[in-house]
């Protein structure tokens, strides 16, 4: 029987890996490429999740809390006018309830703030709000004591300026919140799109590398086997 050269190693003079080692090397390469693709996908998902968490746990709650505080403050202004016009104590009770709700909203906004700018804006808005609430309570006390003209004059004069001051501070805090939500939403959308492209490119790379390794395995393993079969067939008697 004719000796079969090991994948032309005798012709080339080079020592080649055993066939089993070649198969294991090819399969190991495929697994390595697949593992890299999986790691990239995991890191992309983690990064996307972190962006969504920041948006849902900080940026959106901050903007919502500031908006709630502003809404309650406007309600107090309506209760203030209602009491000074009618003297109905129900407006005072409602104003106190709204003030407590506004304080809770300020506290929630401060907890959700993600930087010093947001915290300072909330702090300034709450400080102005508390100064105005104190003045409103003085109006209520003066009105109940019978000094209606003084209470009404205060609401239309210096107390109105206090209200404008905290409203401006609230507007600034709201602007920061809205800008942060828009920025966070854009970042999450961009990260999502970028993740899709990276995964698509990664999948293409895996397919190309896998095809190259498969072709190499066919050439290195199947080719010699076919040649061996041809040589054995040639040595068999007809």
């Amino acid at each position: 029987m004719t000796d079969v050269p090991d994948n032309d190693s005798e012709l080339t003079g080079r020592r080649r890996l055993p066939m089993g080692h070649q198969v294991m090397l090819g399969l190991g390469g495929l697994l390595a490429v697949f593992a890299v693709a999986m790691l990239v996908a995991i890191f992309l998902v983690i990064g996307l999740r972190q962006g969504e968490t920041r948006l849902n746990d900080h940026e959106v709650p901050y903007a919502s809390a500031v908006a709630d505080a502003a809404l309650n403050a406007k309600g107090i202004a309506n209760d203030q006018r209602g009491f000074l016009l009618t003297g109905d104590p129900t407006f005072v009770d409602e104003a106190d309830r709204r003030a407590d709700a506004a304080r809770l909203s300020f506290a929630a906004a401060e907890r959700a703030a993600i930087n010093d700018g947001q915290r300072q804006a909330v702090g300034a808005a709450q400080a102005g709000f508390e100064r105005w609430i104190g003045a409103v309570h003085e109006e209520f006390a003066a009105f109940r004591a019978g000094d209606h003209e003084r209470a009404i004059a205060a609401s239309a004069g210096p107390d109105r300026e206090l209200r404008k001051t905290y409203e401006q501070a609230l507007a600034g805090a709201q602007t920061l919140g809205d800008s942060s939500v828009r920025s966070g939403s854009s970042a999450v959308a961009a990260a999502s799109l970028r993740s899709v492209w990276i995964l698509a490119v990664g999948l293409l790379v895996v397919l190309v590398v896998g095809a190259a390794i498969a072709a190499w395995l066919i050439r290195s393993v199947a080719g010699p086997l076919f040649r061996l079969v041809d040589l054995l067939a040639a040595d068999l008697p007809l």
Side-chain angles (χ1 to χ4, degrees), residues 141-192:
F143 192 93
R144 284 171 168 169
D147 196 351
H148 296 180
E149 292 184 358
R150 175 190 167 193
I152 294 173
S155 67
D159 296 351
R160 184 181 180 86
E161 294 302 318
L162 289 176
R163 178 186 170 191
K164 289 181 179 180
T165 299
Y166 88 77
E167 285 181 341
Q168 290 175 354
L170 265 177
Q174 188 68 63
T175 298
L176 288 177
D178 293 341
S179 175
S180 182
V181 170
R182 287 193 300 269
S183 177
S185 299
S186 298
V188 169
S192 178

Side-chain angles (χ1 to χ4, degrees), residues 54-125:
R54 175 173 172 172
L55 182 64
N56 295 329
D57 292 351
H58 293 280
E59 291 161 347
V60 171
Y62 174 85
S64 298
V66 172
D68 289 341
L71 183 62
N72 282 298
K74 289 180 180 178
I76 294 171
N78 292 332
D79 295 329
Q80 174 195 26
R81 287 191 292 269
F83 178 74
L84 295 179
L85 288 174
T86 66
D88 186 351
T90 303
F91 288 108
V92 177
D93 296 336
E94 186 66 16
D96 290 338
R97 185 191 67 78
R98 294 181 193 274
D100 291 338
R103 292 185 181 103
L104 291 176
S105 296
F106 281 123
E110 186 174 2
R111 288 194 301 271
I114 59 175
N115 53 52
D116 291 339
Q118 290 184 348
R119 281 186 285 272
Q120 290 173 1
V122 171

